Amino acid sequence: MFWRKNNVATPRPDYSEAAPLPELSDALMNQRYPAYLQLVQAQVFFRHGERTPMKARLTKDEKWLHCERANYLQSEFVKAIGRFVPLSEEMPVPHPERIGSGSQKYTSKTATLKSGIEYEPAKWILRLGSKSAPTAAANWTPASCSMGQLTDVGLDTLHRTGTHLRSLYADRLKLVPREAGDSVRDWLYVRSTDYSRVLQSTHALLAGMFPSRDGSWPAFNKDFLRKFPIHTRMHNSETMHGNFGCFEFIKHFMDISCKDARQLKWIDDVYQQTVQLASIGDSARRMMDEPNFGSNFHIVYDELISLAAHGRPLPADVEQDHVTNLGRVGHHQWMHPVHSTTGQRLGFGRLLNDIMQTMVQATTPASTARIGAQHEGDLLLVPGGVRAPTAAETPGVPRLAL
C-alpha cells in the first residue's frame, strides 16, 4: 500500500531555512570525504521535525490545524501495531495491578498497553481516527493537532533530510544501496525513541531515503514495518535520552528556580523584557516563576517558536530576536549540568559507549557478526505490536545507523 502525497506541498516556513542542508558540491565532498580514506560506517542522529507546543498557555485561542497528513499516517501506524482506538470509543482503563506493581515501566499511561511501551502523548496516538462517529469530539477535524504532535511541516522537514542522506550516502559515497532490499537488516540499523513524534519522523526520514519509484510515500503500515525493522526501547533504558535514572544526574534538572537563573544579568535582562510585553507578559511571568524541570524559560520559547515554525505571526510586540534570546536562556539552563566531565559521563556515557562499540565492530575486516551488546534492551515494532527481536532479527553491524 502506498500513500500518494498531495501535489500541493506544505509551504516551507522561513524558520526551517535557518539551517539549510549543505549542497553536496565536489568541493565539499573532497573536503569532508577525501579520496584517500574509505568510509565504512556512518551513524546519523536526528531530532524530530516541527511539532505543536507541548502546552498552549500563551496561545489558548490558537487553533493548530497543521496535521492532516500526519494524522493519516499515524492512524495507519497505530492500526499496524494494534493500538488504534477510534474517536467514538473510550480510552483503555489503566490496569490497576500494573500501576500498583511498583515496576518503573508502568505508569497511568503505559499500564493501558500490553507491552508497557510508553508512547507519548499516549492519548492522541490511541485516539486518531475518522470523525464519522456521532459521538466524536465536535471540534475535531482531519487537520487538528494535539499538543506536542508532529505536524505536516515536521514530516516534510524529515523527508527532505532523508532525501539529502540518500544523495550523500547512496548516490555520492555508495555506502548503501539506493533501494532497500531483503538484506536491509544486514547493513541498516534504525532506532527511535518511543515518542510518537519521533517514530513519525523516522518514517518520514526513511521515506525520503528510499522513495517509491512513482514518488509516493509508503504508508506507515504493516508492510513498511516488515520492510524496515525499526527498534525502540522502554523509556527508562533509552540511551538517547539523558540518563534520568541516575539521581546524581537528574537532580540538576529538578525544581529549577527562575530566581537562581536570574543571578546572571543577561538572563535577568531577558526575563525583564519578557514580562514587560503587553501581549504575553503576565502569562509568561507566571510560567517562568514556577519551579520547573530543566528550564523555566523553555516553556515560553516552545510556544513562540512553534508559531514561527509553522509560518504563523508572533504576537505584535514580540520580535524574532527576543524569541531567539529566550531559546538561548533555555539552552543554557538545559545544558549547564553537562558542561562538566562528570555530568557528561553520568548523562551520556551509555550512549557514547554504544557509538564506540558500533564503530569498532564496523572496522573489523570482513565482519559479518550481528550487532553486539549495544542493542540490548531493543524492542522491535512489528505488525500487531512491540516485542523483543528474535536471534534471526538481530541486526548486523550496520554500514548506516539512524
Side-chain angles (χ1 to χ4, degrees), residues 247-367:
F247 179 75
E248 288 301 312
F249 180 70
I250 196 174
K251 69 180 183 181
H252 298 290
F253 298 89
M254 298 170 64
D255 296 329
I256 297 298
S257 165
C258 183
K259 183 178 180 180
D260 292 341
R262 289 171 56 197
Q263 298 301 308
L264 293 176
K265 184 181 183 304
W266 72 274
I267 292 181
D268 185 58
D269 288 345
V270 175
Y271 176 89
Q272 296 295 345
Q273 292 164 8
T274 304
V275 299
Q276 291 172 18
L277 294 169
S279 60
I280 65 170
D282 291 342
S283 296
R285 183 196 297 273
R286 288 191 294 270
M287 293 163 68
M288 292 185 293
D289 285 352
E290 293 175 359
N292 216 311
F293 184 83
S295 171
N296 313 87
F297 290 75
H298 181 79
I299 51 176
V300 178
Y301 172 77
D302 183 49
E303 281 195 64
L304 297 175
I305 202 62
S306 294
L307 290 172
H310 293 88
R312 300 169 68 162
L314 294 169
D317 55 350
V318 179
E319 301 289 339
Q320 182 62 52
D321 286 347
H322 185 70
V323 178
T324 300
N325 287 334
L326 285 167
R328 287 178 58 219
V329 179
H331 179 270
H332 173 83
Q333 288 186 298
W334 271 109
M335 299 306 296
H336 182 72
V338 295
H339 285 176
S340 69
T341 302
T342 300
Q344 293 165 10
R345 289 173 175 170
L346 290 174
F348 302 101
R350 300 178 304 167
L351 175 61
L352 293 175
N353 183 60
D354 286 352
I355 295 171
M356 292 177 62
Q357 284 193 54
T358 307
M359 291 171 63
V360 170
Q361 288 174 306
T363 57
T364 303
S367 175

